[in-house]
Amino acid sequence: MYFHSILSVFFFLPIFFLIFYIGKRFFNKKILFVILFFSFLFYGFDYPFFLIPLLISSISDYFISRHLIKIQEKRIRKIFLILSIFINISLLTYFKYSYFLISNFNYIFNTNYSNIFTENIIIPAGISFYTFQTLSFTIDCFRKKLKKMPSFFDYLLYVSYFPQLVAGPILRPNDFFDSSLKPLLKSSSPRLKSGLTRFAVGLALKLLAADELARLNDIAFNSPYTLLSSIDVWTMAFGFGLQIYFDFSAYSHMAIGISEILGLKIKENFNFPYLSKSVTEFWRRWHISLSSWVLDYLYKYFKDRLPSLFLGIFPLLITWSIMGLWHGSTWLFIFWGTLNGLLILFHRFYKIYLEKQIDKYLYINPTILQVIYITITQLSIMSTWIIFRSENTKQCFNLIQKIFNLTNYDLNLSFSPNYYLFVALFFISTTLFGFLNLNEKVKTFLRKDFVRIILISFSLAISLIFINRQITFIYFQF
């Protein structure tokens, strides 16, 4: 089931909220079981078998975590941790990477093993997200950050909590449990006004901005790419960059909104990333829960064990290659991840070796310099989205060549004028709102009750117009 579907908006969520608030009043002790039931219903509604890998991951990691807390012998603790990683990676590999691995094996060794069983595998929605979530709990137990265990059903709710299950934000144990390992949902107070506002805005952002841009981007990326001009490709890069931002941030808005209505405060997952002044900053503002997870559980691990030659190139590129593979099971995604790692490496080089030298010999007005940094970052990130969105390597490298072919820059327009206009308007409005949001007076104004009523009414009205044109969230494939 999807948040932005008619079934969810008009039936599932109203019925759930009604039962939740009645339950909070009359049988509060059992309210977590109500949320758990609706979480299973939401996740397994279209494909009930999605619950099987979820339960395998949850049950195995729960009992492994219990042993990690009880056992003190280091060697046995490592065995249990490796077992947890093996189970989770095996599930992820079977559902997400088996076709990729068999295809590459056939190519390298000139064999012809059939992909007939893997071609028809349906990837369980959000498997990459809840895999990271269960692993974070197990690793925290191994690192002795967690000293006790929640009940089995509380842990199961932590993994399957439906607002963020399929596309994040990725929760850590301290995001969901209090110091006694009791779910914060049980003791926290619902925030109906702010939660409903966030959900309504997220719904409108998904249906009006993300889905409408998706239709235009699909036409552009399905067109004969050899005939496109440089300006066409830049428009496609910005168009998809905005689409994936609206799509993913919309889901985060809705997840955070529903959680606030239930009383659970989830950390922000996006912070106007396209206003970043470096690629490093961009990835601190984009999908914050994933970036922080990768930093704490992957990058720091590799950094402590690999040579720190040339600004830490080895741990950085290995981490980012894994990040690329996490997003998709093709070499293009690995290339996309590695390229982002290289861009971060270049920023490190600039900060350490070039910035002071440039400041010494060339004075640039600080405001102008910030604009230059933001522009360079936007162009860098947007160009990488071409790799992310391309259907194959031929299309990818042809489009990239058109972007960076400065000797023969083609400015012909191949698409409908509406495409260029929509992309420009969405980009300008996003940038302007990002700058306005830096002002505390604007933030205070947006929290006023009458403003929230207007936002909710307008967002829901817009959503009703576009709800029959819904498209699946991009990040459901991950």
Side-chain angles (χ1 to χ4, degrees), residues 32-52:
L32 296 183
F33 290 98
V34 172
I35 301 174
L36 181 62
F37 170 77
F38 275 91
S39 293
F40 281 174
L41 179 63
F42 183 87
Y43 186 61
F45 188 83
D46 293 314
Y47 297 98
F49 87 89
F50 280 5
L51 292 169
I52 296 174

Side-chain angles (χ1 to χ4, degrees), residues 53 56-57 60-61 64 81-98 101 127-128 130-132 134-135 139 293 298 322 325-326:
I56 292 173
S57 178
S60 61
D61 275 343
I64 288 171
L81 177 62
I82 292 169
L83 178 62
S84 170
I85 294 171
F86 174 78
I87 292 170
N88 284 283
I89 298 303
S90 296
L91 287 169
L92 201 57
T93 300
Y94 173 73
F95 285 105
K96 193 170 179 179
Y97 301 111
S98 52
L101 292 173
I127 186 170
S128 298
Y130 69 69
T131 296
F132 275 10
T134 59
L135 279 175
I139 294 170
W293 195 100
L298 275 181
I322 294 172
L325 189 62
W326 181 88

Side-chain angles (χ1 to χ4, degrees), residues 62-72 77 137-138 140-142 144-150 181:
Y62 179 79
F63 287 102
I64 288 171
S65 296
R66 282 186 61 180
H67 282 82
L68 285 171
I69 288 176
K70 291 178 180 178
I71 297 170
Q72 298 301 317
R77 286 167 58 80
F137 194 98
T138 307
D140 283 357
C141 288
F142 177 79
K144 299 186 177 181
K145 290 184 177 180
L146 297 175
K147 306 291 186 182
K148 57 178 71 173
M149 287 293 294
L181 272 293

Side-chain angles (χ1 to χ4, degrees), residues 241-254:
L242 290 167
Q243 176 199 338
I244 195 171
Y245 171 55
F246 292 145
D247 191 278
F248 197 14
S249 63
Y251 186 94
S252 293
H253 278 304
M254 287 187 271

Side-chain angles (χ1 to χ4, degrees), residues 170-424:
I170 299 169
L171 298 180
R172 306 279 190 93
N174 61 350
D175 295 324
F176 193 82
F177 297 106
D178 62 18
S179 58
S180 301
L181 272 293
K182 301 293 183 184
L184 292 168
L185 279 164
K186 201 164 187 177
S187 57
S188 53
S189 301
R191 301 172 62 194
L192 183 60
K193 290 185 289 187
S194 61
L196 188 56
T197 305
R198 289 294 292 269
F199 179 82
V201 169
L203 184 63
L205 195 62
K206 167 61 176 168
L207 295 171
L208 173 62
D211 288 1
E212 294 307 307
L213 266 176
R215 290 182 175 83
L216 296 171
N217 288 328
D218 287 346
I219 293 171
F221 278 92
N222 290 328
S223 61
Y225 53 85
T226 56
L227 304 178
L228 300 178
S229 68
S230 301
I231 196 68
D232 291 335
V233 181
W234 272 118
T235 305
M236 292 160 64
F238 273 77
F240 182 72
L242 290 167
Q243 176 199 338
I244 195 171
Y245 171 55
F246 292 145
D247 191 278
F248 197 14
S249 63
Y251 186 94
S252 293
H253 278 304
M254 287 187 271
I256 292 170
I258 292 173
S259 290
E260 286 191 340
I261 293 172
L262 300 183
L264 179 66
K265 180 66 176 175
I266 294 180
K267 294 176 183 176
E268 295 297 332
N269 211 25
F270 287 85
N271 183 22
F272 297 99
Y274 289 128
L275 297 185
S276 303
K277 294 179 283 294
S278 69
V279 176
T280 304
E281 184 186 347
F282 175 86
W283 284 106
R284 289 175 185 152
R285 289 167 168 252
W286 177 283
H287 199 344
I288 298 167
S289 62
L290 174 63
S291 298
S292 63
W293 195 100
V294 169
L295 173 67
D296 291 341
Y297 296 104
L298 275 181
Y299 177 72
K300 288 181 180 178
Y301 176 85
F302 291 130
K303 185 182 178 183
D304 292 341
R305 288 160 178 80
L306 295 174
S308 56
L309 301 173
F310 192 65
L311 306 174
I313 186 171
F314 293 118
L316 184 66
L317 293 189
I318 290 173
T319 300
W320 273 98
S321 297
I322 294 172
M323 271 277 275
L325 189 62
W326 181 88
H327 279 85
S329 55
T330 70
W331 285 106
L332 278 179
F333 281 107
I334 297 174
F335 176 49
W336 170 81
T338 306
L339 181 58
N340 273 280
L342 288 171
L343 290 172
I344 293 172
L345 189 70
F346 177 78
H347 176 247
R348 287 183 183 178
F349 181 81
Y350 171 79
K351 293 291 288 185
I352 294 172
Y353 296 109
L354 298 180
E355 187 176 40
K356 290 182 180 179
Q357 298 300 318
I358 292 173
D359 290 344
K360 188 184 295 184
Y361 298 106
L362 180 65
Y363 173 78
I364 302 176
N365 180 279
T367 302
I368 295 175
L369 189 61
Q370 299 302 309
V371 172
I372 292 171
Y373 285 155
I374 291 172
T375 303
I376 291 173
T377 303
Q378 287 174 344
L379 293 174
S380 300
I381 290 295
M382 291 301 187
S383 63
T384 67
W385 290 128
I386 289 291
I387 305 167
F388 195 99
R389 176 60 178 78
S390 293
E391 300 290 339
N392 52 62
T393 53
K394 285 185 178 180
Q395 182 190 36
C396 173
F397 291 117
N398 187 284
L399 295 178
I400 289 175
Q401 184 182 19
K402 290 177 183 293
I403 283 180
F404 296 107
N405 184 11
L406 301 178
T407 57
N408 185 26
Y409 220 69
D410 186 357
L411 300 179
N412 292 321
L413 304 182
S414 307
F415 305 122
S416 164
N418 287 343
Y419 185 39
Y420 307 96
L421 179 63
F422 283 177
V423 171

